[in-house]
């Protein structure tokens, strides 16, 4: 429904314009009449119309003054303004344009010109509404909630909504053809991928067979709550990850087949990723002390978790992908932030759908881990006490340890140890210790069975308030928000 305020001091003119619009504009309209600018201004404040059609010459408050007052209103999405005037004078047109008028139409009003101007205004309003709703939807995904749901399309609640993700060359262009005249909102977009939320309108989306030969389409389950958007995004991407596995055997595909249509089924999913956590921590936890052969073996063991169910494999892959991109890349910032090879490999790992084969992506992860291990080993070779210190810290970080204690443990001068530790690890001792404890806290929070004070204690923080402060600084979330997002 588009609301229009129609301001003119002549009743017959208002009636005529209203009749023209109701009979010739295809979408539902609510047209509210005002006989002067002051009345129109009050209606704009109360009704917040999408469009204002106003005469220039009116009693009490003329059209120019009306437009100036509207332009000064705070916290208000201004209506598209169409100005009517019986005075073909440049000064009026100039004043209207300066006040933000979309169109300037001379009286007597040409029917076609009026309809064209209103349709243009409606299109602009719909585009703006789409942009604002996309901003709100992205906020829900980012924060897990939305404080203000006003303006969001009610259809998403009435009929449900799905997330759809498409991977492939110029995915957005393909999506526009697929969705045709349907209403949808873009949540994320890259050169070769696009993620949308689609308010179901009763018509099934059709995908041409030739499209599915070269594009991957993942579709989430349905939901009727805005707060489920984050889960719907995960479901759509998880569904698309089925493309890496054979639907019958569950084995990783090696024939390069990448296209297809994949659905997420809520009834068939897993929630326990403990085995992945354990194998991942074994791999990354000793990356700084293991040999290249040992790192390769650890990566192979990590990837051996995949079974014979393609849908469950896609869930495990999504979880593992998240662990790698959010943890492995930030574990040793002194190296990953400065080494170009690791930076490029990291981008390649993030773009998982650019790979034709699952084994190729796994190989990239293995190369990253082996190279990182080599860097770490190279920098600790000349100072073996650093390796010993790291092993001690990883074993005792949950306890009340400090740098003096560790320096004494490896029999090295405190000041010398401090300098060499930062030189080899890339961060100082306290920062390294803090990050170990934060990573442990994340794992405990993701289990969903511990209270915040228990997590603080189990991860080495003696003060729960300090823990909450540091956790927010490191993650941008409170411990409770992190738990809600990842459980």
């Amino acid at each position: 429904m588009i609301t229009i305020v129609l301001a003119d001091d002549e009743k017959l003119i208002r009636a005529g314009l209203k009749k023209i619009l109701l009979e010739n504009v295809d979408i539902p309209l609510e047209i509210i009449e005002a006989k002067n600018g002051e009345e129109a201004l009050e209606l704009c404040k109360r009704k917040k119309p999408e469009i204002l059609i106003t005469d220039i010459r009116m009693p009490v408050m003329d059209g120019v003054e009306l437009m100036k007052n509207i332009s000064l209103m705070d916290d208000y999405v201004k209506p598209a303004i169409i100005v009517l005037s019986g005075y073909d004078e440049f000064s009026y047109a100039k004043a209207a344009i300066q006040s933000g008028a979309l169109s300037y139409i001379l009286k007597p009003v040409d029917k076609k010109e009026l309809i064209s101007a209103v349709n243009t205004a409606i299109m602009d309003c719909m585009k703006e509404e789409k942009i604002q709703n996309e901003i709100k939807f992205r906020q829900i995904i980012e924060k897990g909630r939305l404080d203000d749901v006003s303006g969001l399309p009610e259809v998403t609640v009435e009929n449900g909504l799905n997330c759809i993700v498409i991977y492939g060359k110029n995915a957005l262009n393909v999506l526009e053809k697929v969705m045709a005249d349907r209403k949808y909102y873009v949540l994320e977009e890259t050169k070769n991928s696009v993620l949308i939320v689609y308010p179901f309108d009763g018509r099934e989306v059709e995908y041409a067979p030739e499209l599915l030969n070269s594009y991957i389409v993942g579709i989430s389950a349905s939901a009727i709550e805005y707060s489920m958007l984050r889960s719907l995004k995960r479901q759509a991407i998880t569904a698309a990850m089925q493309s890496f596995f054979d639907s019958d055997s569950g084995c990783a595909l090696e024939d390069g087949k990448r296209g297809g249509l994949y659905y997420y089924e809520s009834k068939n999913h897993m929630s326990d990723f403990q085995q992945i956590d354990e194998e991942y921590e074994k791999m990354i936890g000793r990356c700084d002390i293991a040999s290249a052969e040992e790192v390769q073996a650890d990566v192979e063991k990590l990837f051996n978790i995949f079974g014979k169910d393609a849908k469950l494999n896609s869930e495990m892959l999504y979880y593992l992908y998240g662990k790698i991109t959010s943890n492995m890349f930030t574990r040793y910032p002194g190296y990953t932030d400065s080494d170009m090879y690791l930076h490029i490999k990291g981008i390649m790992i993030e773009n998982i759908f650019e790979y034709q084969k699952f084994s190729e992506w796994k190989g990239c992860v293995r190369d990253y881990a082996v190279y990182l291990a080599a860097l770490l080993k190279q920098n600790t070779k000349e100072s073996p006490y650093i390796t010993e210190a790291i092993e001690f810290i990883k074993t005792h970080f949950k306890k009340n340890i400090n740098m003096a204690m560790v320096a004494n443990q490896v029999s090295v001068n405190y000041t010398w140890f401090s300098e060499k530790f930062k030189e080899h690890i890339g961060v100082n001792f306290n920062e390294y210790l803090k990050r170990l404890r934060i990573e442990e806290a994340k794992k405990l929070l993701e289990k969903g069975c511990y209270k915040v004070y228990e997590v603080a204690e189990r991860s080495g923080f003696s003060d729960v308030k300090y823990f909450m402060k540091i956790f927010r600084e490191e993650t941008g979330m409170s411990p409770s928000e992190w738990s809600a997002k990842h459980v």
Side-chain angles (χ1 to χ4, degrees), residues 169-218:
K169 188 176 181 180
N170 298 320
L172 183 59
N173 293 337
V174 171
L175 173 83
E176 290 173 348
K177 294 178 182 178
V178 169
M179 299 305 291
D181 61 338
R182 292 174 170 86
K183 182 179 289 187
Y184 63 89
Y185 302 90
V186 176
L187 304 178
E188 293 179 3
E189 177 193 353
T190 67
K191 181 180 178 181
N192 294 325
S193 70
V194 60
L195 173 74
I196 67 167
V197 58
Y198 164 52
F200 185 63
D201 60 6
R203 300 174 295 163
E204 294 297 333
V205 179
E206 297 181 0
Y207 303 90
E210 57 270 21
L211 166 71
L212 298 179
N213 287 333
S214 52
Y215 288 86
I216 301 166
V217 181

Side-chain angles (χ1 to χ4, degrees), residues 69-136:
N69 276 277
I70 287 177
S71 68
L72 296 174
M73 291 169 61
D74 296 328
D75 302 323
Y76 172 49
V77 178
K78 309 301 187 294
I81 301 175
I82 298 171
V83 174
L84 309 177
S85 176
Y87 298 86
D88 187 7
E89 296 180 14
F90 177 73
S91 60
Y92 287 109
K94 183 179 178 181
I97 292 168
Q98 289 176 339
S99 298
L102 176 69
S103 300
Y104 185 87
I105 303 175
L106 292 176
K107 291 181 177 180
V109 173
D110 180 82
K111 176 180 174 180
K112 290 183 179 179
E113 188 178 2
L114 175 64
I115 294 168
S116 175
V118 170
N119 281 332
T120 298
I122 289 173
M123 291 298 295
D124 288 346
C125 290
M126 293 177 70
K127 287 179 183 178
E128 180 62 26
E129 178 195 30
K130 187 174 188 291
I131 291 170
Q132 293 302 318
N133 282 331
E134 285 177 347
I135 292 172
K136 291 179 180 180

Side-chain angles (χ1 to χ4, degrees), residues 31 46 67 93 109 113 117 179 188 201 236 244 286 315 321 359 364 368 377 382 388 391 422 431 439 470 476:
I31 300 178
R46 288 192 292 110
M67 288 185 287
V109 173
E113 188 178 2
M179 299 305 291
E188 293 179 3
D201 60 6
F244 285 107
R286 68 190 197 114
E315 294 235 14
Y321 173 84
S359 59
C364 194
Y368 186 102
K377 290 280 286 184
E382 297 177 0
E388 183 183 348
E391 291 181 348
K422 184 172 183 179
E431 181 67 18
E439 290 303 322
I470 294 298

Side-chain angles (χ1 to χ4, degrees), residues 298-409:
D298 287 343
V299 172
E300 287 298 324
K301 191 172 182 182
L302 173 62
F303 278 85
N304 283 339
I305 60 176
F306 295 98
K308 296 182 178 181
D309 187 315
K311 293 185 183 298
L312 295 185
N313 281 346
S314 67
E315 294 235 14
M316 289 191 288
L317 178 56
Y318 181 87
Y319 186 81
L320 178 59
Y321 173 84
K323 293 283 288 189
I324 290 171
T325 55
S326 67
N327 181 278
M328 189 162 78
F329 296 170
T330 59
R331 194 86 169 208
Y332 300 97
Y335 300 96
T336 54
D337 290 348
S338 59
D339 189 273
M340 184 57 67
Y341 178 85
L342 288 181
H343 177 71
I344 293 173
K345 278 290 182 181
I347 293 174
M348 294 170 67
I349 290 170
E350 287 180 336
N351 294 324
I352 184 171
F353 286 98
E354 295 293 320
Y355 290 86
Q356 293 295 311
K357 302 177 183 180
F358 181 62
S359 59
E360 294 174 347
W361 185 75
K362 181 180 76 172
C364 194
V365 174
R366 181 186 62 241
D367 293 344
Y368 186 102
V370 170
Y371 184 84
L372 176 61
L375 283 181
L376 295 169
K377 290 280 286 184
Q378 178 182 344
N379 285 334
T380 57
K381 186 187 298 183
E382 297 177 0
S383 305
Y385 57 84
I386 295 295
T387 301
E388 183 183 348
I390 290 172
E391 291 181 348
F392 180 83
I393 296 168
K394 288 183 176 180
T395 304
H396 298 87
F397 73 89
K398 299 177 187 178
K399 300 177 182 178
N400 184 24
I401 63 172
N402 54 46
M403 190 166 68
M405 185 186 301
V406 178
N408 183 63
Q409 175 69 25

Side-chain angles (χ1 to χ4, degrees), residues 35-39 58-62 65:
K35 60 181 178 290
N36 57 59
E38 186 176 79
E39 198 173 293
M58 293 183 292
V60 186
M61 180 188 292
D62 66 18
E65 190 67 23

Side-chain angles (χ1 to χ4, degrees), residues 6 10-21 114:
L6 177 56
E10 296 187 38
K11 184 176 181 180
L12 289 178
I13 291 179
R14 296 199 305 269
L17 295 175
K18 184 174 182 179
K19 185 174 186 294
I20 290 172
L21 294 177
L114 175 64

